[in-house]
């Protein structure tokens, strides 16, 4: 894929995010280049813009820097620690010599030059078209969403959204390359809802407008008749210790649509001992050797490790649901726990995550892609 990317950095930083700062509060060009490329790497950089913003759970502010270096355009994050700067992460795109570009809504295409009657936007670049910094559900910090201009035959120039949370990709707009409206318009416009903390693509086109919500791992298209079980919290009391039992409480919220029946599955590849807690209605525990269904081989197999499966009926939008159990780790104080959800869409079994997910996943013993649940730090 040939990414020729471009950005008038239309920084939609909300007022409480856009904090001005003096040059002394920002890394120098030399500090930026050495942090990103090393002391002996990279070319002279040209800084296009800088902003202070909170980008993770720490109370300290981070600094976003947009710059060009050689054939690259980079958005990098830094944090001031004492008198030095710590480099956190970067998003790097490769340039082509396109010159100034703007989107002509009447022509439905990207055009050379500057938009008539409009001043050049702050932080304008040659890769990133737009940057939105916004909070996701459950977060008290901001994630970064960008509109990226790319060039690929036969589409030519087109733009798509990309999302990054703490530097890790959670939304990949290149998955929309075959979208009918993108082929026609050459641009995937998007807007952020402060109320719902969600994003909508093609917001002005009722035929193609689509909401995306965050499920704790990645952005998910909010489709009709589809639930989106989303991570809220994972509590472990006391903290995991090998050979000792802990009470585990997983809180989820359905950020999708109402579903009459959904299945929530927790798998324990490192074995250990799993015990149900209290009320067990709708909850079933499969132990090693019990018969489970494998979707890849399309047959029943003996379980290799414990599986806890919850049958959730009548789950409405924005309602929470908690799963509680006891677990005794056998191999590690940070045991691997896999989570997935499935539901029936007519005669099809749909799972989240799936083979199209961009968040890291592993296949469980039943052949389904599953997210990795991280144990909280105690």
């Amino acid at each position: 894929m040939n990414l020729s990317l471009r950005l008038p950095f239309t920084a939609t930083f909300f007022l409480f995010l856009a904090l001005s700062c003096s040059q002394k509060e920002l890394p120098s060009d030399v500090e930026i280049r050495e942090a990103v490329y090393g002391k002996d790497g990279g070319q002279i950089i040209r800084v296009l813009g800088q902003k202070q913003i909170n980008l993770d759970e720490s109370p300290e502010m981070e600094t976003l820097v947009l710059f060009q270096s050689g054939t690259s355009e980079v958005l990098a994050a830094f944090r001031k620690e004492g008198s030095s700067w710590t480099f956190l992460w970067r998003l790097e795109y490769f340039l082509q010599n396109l010159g100034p570009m703007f989107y002509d809504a009447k022509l439905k295409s990207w055009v050379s030059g500057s938009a008539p009657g409009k001043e050049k936007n702050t932080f304008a670049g040659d890769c990133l078209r737009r940057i939105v910094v916004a909070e996701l559900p459950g977060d008290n910090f901001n994630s970064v969403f960008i509109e990226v201009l790319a060039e690929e035959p036969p589409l030519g120039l087109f733009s798509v959204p990309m999302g990054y949370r703490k530097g890790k990709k959670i939304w990949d707009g290149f998955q929309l390359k075959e979208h009918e409206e993108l082929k026609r318009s050459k641009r995937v416009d998007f807007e952020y809802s402060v109320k719902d903390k969600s994003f909508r693509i093609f917001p002005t086109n009722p035929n193609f407008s689509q909401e995306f919500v965050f499920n704790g791992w990645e952005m998910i298209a909010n489709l009709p008749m589809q639930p989106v079980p989303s991570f809220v919290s994972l509590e472990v009391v006391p903290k995991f210790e090998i050979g000792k039992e802990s009470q585990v409480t997983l809180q989820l919220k359905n950020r999708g649509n109402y579903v009459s029946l959904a299945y929530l599955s927790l798998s324990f590849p490192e074995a250990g001992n799993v015990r149900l807690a209290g009320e067990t209605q709708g909850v079933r525990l499969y132990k090693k050797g019990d018969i489970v269904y494998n979707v890849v081989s399309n047959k029943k197999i003996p379980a290799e490790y414990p599986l806890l499966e919850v049958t959730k009926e009548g789950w409405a939008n924005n309602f929470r649901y908690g799963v509680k159990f006891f677990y005794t780790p056998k191999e590690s104080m940070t045991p691997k726990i896999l989570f997935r959800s499935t539901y029936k869409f007519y005669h099809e079994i749909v799972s989240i995550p799936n083979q199209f997910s961009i968040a890291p996943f592993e296949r469980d013993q039943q052949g389904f892609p599953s997210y990795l649940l991280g144990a909280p730090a105690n």
Side-chain angles (χ1 to χ4, degrees), residues 137 154 195 251 292 338:
K195 177 183 177 182
Q251 290 285 342
V292 297
L338 301 178

Side-chain angles (χ1 to χ4, degrees), residues 106-140:
K106 293 182 179 179
L107 297 176
K108 303 293 183 185
S109 65
W110 295 93
V111 180
S112 298
S114 300
K118 292 186 178 181
E119 295 182 0
K120 184 178 180 180
N121 291 306
T122 306
F123 301 158
D126 293 324
C127 290
L128 310 174
R129 297 303 311 180
R130 179 181 171 213
I131 294 182
V132 174
V133 180
E135 285 188 3
L136 290 170
D139 289 344
N140 59 358

Side-chain angles (χ1 to χ4, degrees), residues 169-310:
K169 187 186 294 184
I170 58 171
W171 194 15
D172 188 349
F174 286 114
Q175 293 181 331
L176 298 166
K177 285 190 298 183
E178 300 302 317
H179 196 287
E180 178 183 349
E181 177 62 4
L182 171 59
K183 291 181 178 180
R184 186 186 72 86
S185 67
K186 299 295 190 295
R187 185 190 185 197
V188 182
D189 191 16
F190 66 89
E191 68 178 15
Y192 172 71
S193 169
V194 177
K195 177 183 177 182
D196 300 321
K197 295 188 176 181
S198 64
F199 284 83
R200 184 169 293 277
I201 63 170
F202 306 118
T204 60
N205 189 330
N207 294 320
F208 296 104
S209 183
Q210 176 65 62
E211 183 185 36
F212 281 76
V213 296
F214 182 60
N215 74 343
W217 292 274
E218 60 184 324
M219 303 295 292
I220 299 289
N222 192 9
L223 304 175
M225 301 174 65
Q226 172 187 269
V228 183
S230 303
F231 177 86
V232 175
S233 65
L234 181 68
E235 182 181 20
V236 179
V237 181
K239 67 179 181 179
F240 284 132
E241 288 189 49
I242 297 175
K244 295 186 178 181
E245 186 176 76
S246 297
Q247 178 177 283
V248 183
T249 305
L250 172 64
Q251 290 285 342
L252 302 164
K253 177 185 282 191
N254 180 13
R255 293 199 170 100
N257 291 287
Y258 172 85
V259 63
S260 58
L261 186 64
Y263 299 94
L264 310 172
S265 300
L266 291 161
S267 297
F268 306 85
E270 296 180 357
N273 182 61
V274 183
R275 180 169 66 89
L276 298 181
E279 178 60 49
T280 58
Q281 183 176 359
V283 182
R284 182 173 180 181
L285 177 62
Y286 295 84
K287 298 182 179 180
K288 182 177 181 179
D290 290 347
I291 301 301
V292 297
Y293 173 73
N294 183 281
V295 70
V296 176
S297 60
N298 192 27
K299 65 180 183 181
K300 295 180 179 180
I301 62 170
E304 299 176 7
Y305 47 77
L307 163 68
L308 190 153
E309 188 170 79
V310 179

